[in-house]
């Protein structure tokens, strides 16, 4: 190739081209031979002068007569890729971070770490203001406790999964956890006026597409950034299903949910998110960060909370991966692995797909180049199809074997797999794990307001994050997986805590049910075991009144064999209250009285 064609005639040609947004995520969706036509228009990987990048035996000498204070660093050429002939294992960079879990918090505290009192008060203030702006004669008069009860009913709705919200109050399919908390008209009024930002401040803040929910987004991002990080992290796309009218709606044909809002997420390999960015079109890139192109800039912005020079490992797919991105993160002490497109590897002459296919399944080729203090590894591996990976700390060796089904021979065979492929497959799925957990019990409340879909998605994401942090703490304290609480139970406890913790459960008077079905429900014999409220409700010292029941019941304090008529009105359990046994006081003041059920 002509040197003028490769290097370009002008310095301005070194800008990295923007990556089209309609690319697919999977590294196995297409063969790399399809990209060979774009070799003549390869991206310039060369960084701007002054960034401290140099290549051995490839830099131009600086004129010795120039002053050292004003000497300019010459632009380095492309890296010299060499085939690896002597297989050797690369030294694994040791992680310098610390992640500890000393104790398990109460279940409601995990949720309140993100939806704290300050953000709830802000939502209450903006919702009441929005109601007054719509109709001054009908104020909403929403309180923080009532907002928590509303959020608790929303979480319960995701667990029961009825197709319409009004069905939770319908007699045919009534759900007491929702219908007994508040009336249908009050619930719909709160949902109608649920607001997060003042509409009158929009012109002052500029044209922000997320103005409606910007305070909530900013608050949640700050909370996620404060979560201690594990060693392995990943950047990937997340889709929020939505088919309504919104200019922020995207279409990604490679996703299971093709229509919706696109969110770019930084998450650990265990699924815990640490940062996210809502896709709204062209983003404003911070001037203090290097400009390496549209897709690479996304990773740099999301990776800002990662501690520098502590050997964290970051994984991403071929939409983000490029040589400038890997070199820029390597300067910050962040090691990377990513699938890469061949037209983003200037100067690399890898074997074509046909040659690797002739050698058989599991064949691979490795190239290596040294750029300053960074060693780049490119590995092309053939399994069902070819895939190329770029890394600055992992190569092809040591090679391990993986089982694959051979269609022709009708048997399971062992296929060689490079080490970089194993490392990538093991740690890349953090965002996908988060998506799968959210999809299990997604909040599917329909609304005419486009931003409600995002708000409910953030609630799902925060509850799943709280559950993952709970599991991390259980793991740190030595608890087994069988003893840990499942996600469904965890969400139900969060919903119960939001509805009852610190609230008085006085119900409004209404007309009694005169139907046969209503009388049958009151006479229906309940099971022998009365459910026990969670500690956040049992120990909140609010509205726990003693009432006398018509029938006796077994005392719920362990070790007590009494059968009193006295019961707690809020907890709905029988408790002894005599001169010799005050189980009512012990039940509401002692933490060790009960153990939270594991499932």
């Amino acid at each position: 190739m002509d040197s003028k064609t490769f290097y370009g005639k002008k310095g301005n040609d070194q800008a990295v081209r923007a990556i089209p947004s309609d690319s697919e995520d999977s590294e196995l969706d297409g063969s790399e031979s399809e990209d060979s036509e774009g070799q003549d228009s390869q991206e310039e990987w060369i960084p701007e002068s002054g960034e401290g990048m140099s290549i051995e035996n490839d830099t131009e000498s600086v004129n010795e007569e120039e002053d050292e204070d004003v000497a300019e660093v010459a632009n380095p050429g492309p890296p010299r890729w060499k085939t690896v002939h002597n297989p050797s294992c690369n030294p694994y960079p040791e992680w310098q971070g610390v992640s500890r879990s000393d104790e398990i918090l109460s279940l409601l505290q995990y949720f309140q770490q993100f939806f704290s009192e300050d953000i709830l008060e802000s939502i209450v203030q903006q919702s009441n203001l929005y109601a007054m702006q719509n109709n001054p004669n009908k104020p909403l008069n929403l309180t923080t406790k009532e907002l928590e009860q509303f959020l608790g009913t929303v979480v319960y709705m995701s667990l029961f999964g009825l197709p319409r919200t009004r069905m939770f109050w319908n007699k045919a399919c009534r759900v007491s956890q929702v219908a007994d908390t508040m009336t249908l008209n009050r619930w719909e009024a709160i949902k109608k006026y649920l607001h997060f930002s003042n509409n009158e401040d929009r012109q002052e803040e500029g044209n922000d597409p997320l103005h409606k929910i910007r305070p909530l987004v900013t608050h949640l991002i700050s909370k996620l950034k404060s979560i201690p990080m594990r060693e392995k992290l990943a950047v990937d796309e997340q889709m929020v299903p939505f088919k309504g009218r919104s200019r922020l709606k995207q279409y990604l044909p490679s996703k299971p949910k093709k229509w919706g809002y696109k969110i770019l997420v930084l998450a650990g390999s265990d699924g815990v998110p640490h940062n996210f960015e809502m896709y709204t079109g062209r983003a404003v890139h911070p001037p203090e960060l290097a400009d390496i192109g549209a897709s690479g800039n996304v990773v740099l912005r999301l990776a800002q909370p990662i501690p520098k020079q502590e050997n964290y490992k970051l994984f991403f797919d071929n939409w983000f991966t490029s040589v400038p991105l890997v070199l820029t993160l390597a300067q910050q002490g962040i090691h990377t692995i990513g699938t890469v497109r061949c037209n983003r590897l200037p100067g690399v002459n890898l074997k074509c797909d046909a040659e690797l296919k002739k050698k058989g399944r599991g064949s691979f080729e490795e190239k290596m180049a040294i750029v300053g203090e960074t060693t780049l590894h490119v590995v092309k591996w053939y399994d069902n199809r070819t895939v190329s990976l770029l890394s600055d700390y992992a190569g092809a060796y040591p090679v391990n074997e993986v089982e694959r089904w051979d269609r022709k021979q009708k048997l399971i065979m062992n296929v060689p797999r490079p080490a970089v492929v194993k490392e990538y497959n093991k740690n890349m799925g953090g965002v996908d794990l988060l998506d799968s957990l959210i999809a299990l019990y997604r909040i599917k409340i329909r609304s005419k307001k486009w931003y409600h879909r995002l708000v409910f998605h953030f609630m799902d994401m925060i509850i799943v994050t709280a559950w993952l942090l709970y599991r991390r703490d259980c793991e740190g304290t030595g608890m087994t997986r069988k003893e840990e609480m499942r996600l469904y139970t965890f969400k139900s406890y969060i919903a119960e805590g939001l509805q009852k913790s610190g609230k008085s459960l006085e119900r409004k008077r209404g007309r009694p049910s005169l139907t046969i079905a209503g009388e049958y429900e009151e006479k229906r014999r309940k099971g022998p075991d009365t459910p026990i409220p969670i500690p956040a409700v049992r120990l909140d010292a609010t509205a726990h009144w003693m009432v006398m029941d018509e029938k006796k019941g077994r005392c719920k304090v362990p070790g007590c064999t009494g059968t009193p008529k006295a019961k707690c009105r809020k907890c709905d359990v029988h408790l002894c209250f005599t001169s010799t046994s005050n189980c009512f006081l012990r039940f509401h003041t002692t933490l060790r009285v009960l153990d939270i059920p594991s499932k």
Side-chain angles (χ1 to χ4, degrees):
M1 180 183 294
D2 187 12
S3 60
K4 294 182 179 180
T5 304
F6 185 86
Y7 290 106
K9 298 181 180 180
K10 298 180 180 180
N12 296 333
D13 294 336
Q14 296 175 3
V16 180
R17 296 182 290 107
I19 309 302
S21 60
D22 57 350
S23 60
E24 298 182 353
D25 293 335
S26 176
E27 67 273 12
L28 298 178
D29 285 341
S31 173
E32 290 189 353
S33 60
E34 298 175 0
D35 294 333
S36 60
E37 299 178 358
Q39 291 290 342
D40 294 335
S41 59
Q42 291 174 346
E43 292 180 307
E44 291 288 350
W45 69 275
I46 307 173
E48 296 181 359
S49 60
E51 293 185 1
M53 297 184 184
S54 62
I55 302 178
E56 297 181 357
N57 301 327
D58 246 356
T59 58
E60 298 181 0
S61 61
V62 181
N63 191 355
E64 298 178 356
E65 298 179 358
E66 295 181 352
D67 188 5
E68 296 180 357
D69 297 334
V70 296
E72 297 182 355
V73 181
N75 285 338
R80 292 184 177 180
W81 299 93
K82 299 180 180 179
T83 304
V84 179
H85 297 289
N86 298 323
S88 61
C89 299
N90 301 312
Y92 190 85
E94 184 178 357
W95 181 46
Q96 304 297 328
V98 178
S99 179
R100 296 178 179 176
S101 299
D102 298 331
E103 60 179 355
I104 301 176
L105 305 177
S106 67
L107 304 184
L108 194 57
Q109 286 180 344
Y110 285 103
F111 180 80
Q112 291 175 344
Q113 286 180 345
F114 303 97
F115 280 88
S116 53
E117 190 71 21
D118 54 347
I119 190 61
L120 293 179
E121 291 178 355
S122 176
I123 297 174
V124 168
Q125 179 183 359
Q126 294 299 330
S127 300
N128 291 329
L129 177 61
Y130 181 62
M132 292 295 294
Q133 291 173 348
N134 281 268
N135 190 350
N137 298 323
K138 292 184 179 181
L140 184 62
N141 295 328
L142 181 65
T143 62
T144 304
K145 293 184 178 180
E146 194 174 17
L147 176 62
E148 290 181 348
Q149 289 182 324
F150 173 81
L151 298 179
T153 59
V154 168
V155 177
Y156 267 129
M157 289 178 179
S158 68
L159 297 178
F160 289 96
L162 296 180
R164 294 290 184 271
T165 55
R166 292 199 171 195
M167 297 178 66
F168 289 91
W169 286 267
N170 195 327
K171 293 181 181 180
C173 52
R174 186 177 185 273
V175 178
S176 60
Q177 289 87 342
V178 176
D180 291 344
T181 302
M182 62 176 61
T183 63
L184 173 61
N185 293 336
R186 183 58 179 172
W187 190 90
E188 290 184 342
I190 297 175
K191 173 193 168 187
K192 178 181 179 181
Y193 296 113
L194 189 64
H195 221 65
F196 306 89
S197 179
N198 189 0
N199 293 335
E200 297 178 355
D201 298 337
R202 184 171 185 177
Q203 296 180 355
E204 299 178 1
E205 298 180 1
N207 188 16
D208 184 8
L210 297 178
H211 166 75
K212 293 284 188 179
I213 56 174
R214 178 58 65 186
L216 178 63
V217 172
T218 304
H219 174 82
L220 294 181
I221 290 178
S222 64
K223 294 295 183 179
L224 293 177
K225 288 182 179 179
S226 63
I227 301 176
M229 296 184 181
R230 294 286 179 91
E231 179 184 4
K232 308 296 177 63
L233 304 166
V235 173
D236 204 352
E237 297 173 343
Q238 183 182 73
M239 286 294 292
V240 183
F242 181 74
K243 287 189 177 181
R245 293 184 179 180
S246 176
R247 67 187 184 93
L248 300 179
K249 183 178 62 177
Q250 299 292 313
Y251 176 73
L252 295 181
S254 61
K255 295 292 185 179
K257 302 293 184 180
K258 298 176 174 53
W259 291 98
Y261 302 111
K262 184 168 74 171
I263 302 178
L264 302 162
V265 184
L266 169 69
S269 59
D270 56 353
V272 177
H274 298 283
N275 195 5
F276 68 88
E277 178 181 305
M278 184 75 189
Y279 178 77
T280 59
R282 179 173 295 180
V284 179
H285 193 62
E288 64 272 12
L289 298 180
D291 187 3
I292 57 175
S295 61
N297 290 343
V298 173
V299 179
L300 295 182
R301 292 194 297 268
L302 292 176
Q304 285 182 285
I306 302 177
K308 307 300 186 292
Q309 308 302 330
E310 293 188 7
N311 294 333
Y312 280 83
K313 315 301 185 301
L314 186 59
F315 302 84
F316 32 76
D317 57 33
N318 57 21
W319 192 80
F320 304 99
T321 309
S322 64
V323 175
L325 176 61
V326 175
L327 295 177
T328 304
L329 293 175
Q331 288 182 339
Q332 302 176 9
I334 302 174
H335 302 282
T336 57
I337 294 179
T339 55
V340 62
R341 305 172 185 176
C342 65
N343 60 354
R344 297 191 187 181
L345 297 172
V348 181
N349 295 322
L350 295 171
K351 295 180 180 179
C352 64
D353 298 350
E355 294 182 13
L356 292 177
K357 189 175 182 180
K358 289 181 180 179
K359 292 185 177 181
R361 196 171 183 178
S363 59
F364 63 89
E365 183 184 12
E366 181 180 8
K367 296 282 186 177
M368 184 180 67
I370 299 177
V371 182
E373 298 180 355
T374 305
T375 303
L376 300 178
H377 301 268
V378 173
V379 177
K380 186 174 183 179
W381 180 54
Y382 175 75
D383 189 13
N384 284 328
R385 282 171 283 183
T386 58
V387 56
S388 297
L389 297 99
L390 175 64
S391 174
D392 68 331
Y393 78 96
Y397 300 94
V399 178
N400 55 83
E401 291 185 346
V402 62
E403 294 183 349
R404 292 289 187 268
W405 173 257
D406 191 345
R407 296 181 181 178
K408 295 182 179 179
Q409 301 181 13
K410 304 295 182 181
L411 52 84
I412 297 176
M413 58 182 299
N414 293 327
V415 174
R417 181 178 62 176
V420 65
V421 179
K422 177 183 178 181
E423 183 77 0
Y424 179 84
N425 291 339
K426 183 179 179 181
N427 302 290
M428 180 56 194
V431 180
D432 295 333
L433 174 61
L434 178 65
D435 287 343
S436 63
L437 294 174
I438 292 175
L440 291 177
Y441 313 107
R442 189 188 299 276
I443 300 175
K444 299 179 181 179
I445 298 177
R446 301 186 64 180
S447 175
K448 294 182 179 180
K449 296 179 174 62
W450 62 270
Y451 54 89
H452 280 178
R453 175 66 269 167
L454 286 172
V455 172
F456 295 141
H457 172 77
F458 291 145
M459 276 201 63
D460 285 330
M461 183 174 67
I462 291 305
I463 293 178
V464 171
T465 303
W467 180 68
L468 292 173
L469 293 178
Y470 158 78
R471 292 186 62 186
R472 178 187 292 186
D473 293 343
C474 292
E475 180 183 353
T477 55
M479 186 181 296
T480 62
R481 282 295 177 89
K482 292 184 178 180
E483 297 174 341
E484 295 175 4
M485 189 176 300
R486 296 182 181 272
L487 178 59
Y488 185 94
T489 309
F490 185 88
K491 292 193 72 171
S492 65
Y493 279 18
I494 293 294
E496 183 182 0
L498 290 173
Q499 287 185 348
K500 296 182 179 181
S501 179
K503 286 93 174 174
S504 176
L505 300 182
E506 295 183 358
R507 301 175 184 176
K508 296 183 179 180
R509 296 180 60 184
R511 292 181 300 175
S513 175
L514 300 179
T515 62
I516 298 178
E519 295 178 359
Y520 173 77
E521 279 296 319
E522 294 181 0
K523 293 183 178 180
R524 184 172 60 90
R525 184 176 181 271
K526 297 183 179 180
D529 189 12
T530 305
I532 298 173
I534 62 176
V537 177
R538 180 168 55 86
L539 304 175
D540 63 353
T542 304
H544 293 280
W545 306 108
M546 183 187 303
V547 296
M548 300 302 294
D549 198 5
E550 296 180 357
K551 297 181 179 180
K552 294 183 178 181
R554 185 181 295 275
C555 181
K556 281 299 177 182
V557 174
C560 182
T561 59
T563 56
K565 285 188 175 182
K567 65 184 300 186
C568 178
R569 175 185 174 186
K570 184 175 181 178
C571 299
D572 195 24
V573 295
H574 287 83
L575 298 166
C576 294
F577 185 74
T578 62
S579 59
T580 58
S581 178
N582 192 350
C583 296
F584 187 89
L585 180 62
R586 291 178 56 198
F587 184 83
H588 294 102
T589 57
T590 307
L591 181 62
R592 296 187 299 108
V593 171
L594 299 172
D595 291 330
I596 299 176
S598 60
K599 294 184 181 179

